[in-house]
């Protein structure tokens, strides 16, 4: 399964569309229902469920209404109404714009989102993480109420990719810059399993 802006497509092993998925192999997907949502990452669960994550926007386009968003689809491409609220979970990290650029599923079924959280009115951002239980509820045992931000060393920190280690640690990789005109560096952050 891959995302094409706000579409999910599933292909057979031979590269042809799997017409049993969605509508002839394609699902028109949003996170919270806004056409302004941006799908950025996809992960498969052990039961065949499909998780998509990205930036969930409100219809008005206000940056205070841009949050991490995650939606779960059943293996046939229909929304899993039992996940979160009607299949969707919105995660507000710091009260400003947030974005999920990466998603991973732990061996115990918990779901980790990685991305960025805008921390100040001027737009300074930090690496951001959220961890959810398999049903879409924030995992209160991770970070602060299921959420965590990490200043990776700059004013503009953006986590772009994530991996889970065998010991439960989470590694985020992205870019960090001291300001808008500064040349960015690569930032790597490792977070313990408890956040």
């Amino acid at each position: 399964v891959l995302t094409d802006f706000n579409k999910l497509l599933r292909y057979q092993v031979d590269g042809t569309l799997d017409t049993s998925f969605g509508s002839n192999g394609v699902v028109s997907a949003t996170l919270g229902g806004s056409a302004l949502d941006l799908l950025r990452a996809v992960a498969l669960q052990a039961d065949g469920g499909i998780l998509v994550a990205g930036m969930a926007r409100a219809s008005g386009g206000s940056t205070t209404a841009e949050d991490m968003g995650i939606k779960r689809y059943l293996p046939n491409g229909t929304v899993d109404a039992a996940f979160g609220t009607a299949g969707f979970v919105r995660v507000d990290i710091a009260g400003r714009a947030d974005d999920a650029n990466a998603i991973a599923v732990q061996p115990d079924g918990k779901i980790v989102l990685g991305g960025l959280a805008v921390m100040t009115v001027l737009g300074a951002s930090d690496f951001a993480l959220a961890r959810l239980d398999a049903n879409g509820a924030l995992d209160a045992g991770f970070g602060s109420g299921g959420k965590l931000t990490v200043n990776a060393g700059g004013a503009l920190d953006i986590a772009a990719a994530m991996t889970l280690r065998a010991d439960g640690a989470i590694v985020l990789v992205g870019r960090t810059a001291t300001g808008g005109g500064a040349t960015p560096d690569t930032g790597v952050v490792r977070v313990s399993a408890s956040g």
Side-chain angles (χ1 to χ4, degrees):
V1 177
L2 57 86
T3 62
D4 174 16
F5 291 101
N6 286 3
K7 289 186 172 53
L8 295 174
L9 297 88
R10 186 163 72 194
Y11 290 89
Q12 304 278 9
V13 175
D14 65 3
T16 59
L17 273 176
D18 177 0
T19 57
S20 70
F21 178 74
S23 176
N24 292 316
V26 180
V27 171
S28 292
T30 61
L31 293 170
S34 170
L36 300 174
D37 293 343
L38 295 174
L39 303 184
R40 302 211 191 266
V42 63
L44 300 179
Q45 295 176 293
D47 65 356
I50 302 160
L51 299 170
V52 293
M55 179 188 289
R57 292 179 170 167
S59 297
S62 166
T63 57
T64 58
E66 294 174 350
D67 294 317
M68 287 184 172
I70 179 173
K71 200 167 200 175
R72 176 176 151 92
Y73 290 86
L74 297 172
N76 65 2
T78 59
V79 174
D80 179 3
F83 180 81
T85 302
F88 169 67
V89 176
R90 177 183 292 271
V91 181
D92 179 15
I93 300 291
R96 294 183 172 83
D98 307 310
D99 198 351
N101 293 322
I103 185 171
V105 180
Q106 296 183 171
D108 63 2
K110 291 185 179 181
I111 303 159
V112 184
L113 300 175
L116 70 98
V118 174
M119 304 302 290
T120 69
V121 177
L122 298 177
S125 60
D126 286 347
F127 281 16
L129 284 166
R131 189 164 73 190
L132 297 86
D133 292 329
N135 64 1
L138 281 169
D139 177 7
F142 179 80
S144 176
K147 302 179 276 188
L148 173 73
T149 60
V150 179
N151 185 328
L156 301 172
D157 298 333
I158 302 170
M162 177 176 59
T163 189
L164 304 179
R165 294 179 48 88
D167 63 1
I170 302 161
V171 178
L172 292 166
V173 178
R175 55 178 276 168
T176 180
T178 55
T183 302
D185 292 316
T186 299
V188 181
V189 171
R190 177 174 160 154
V191 177
S192 71
S194 65

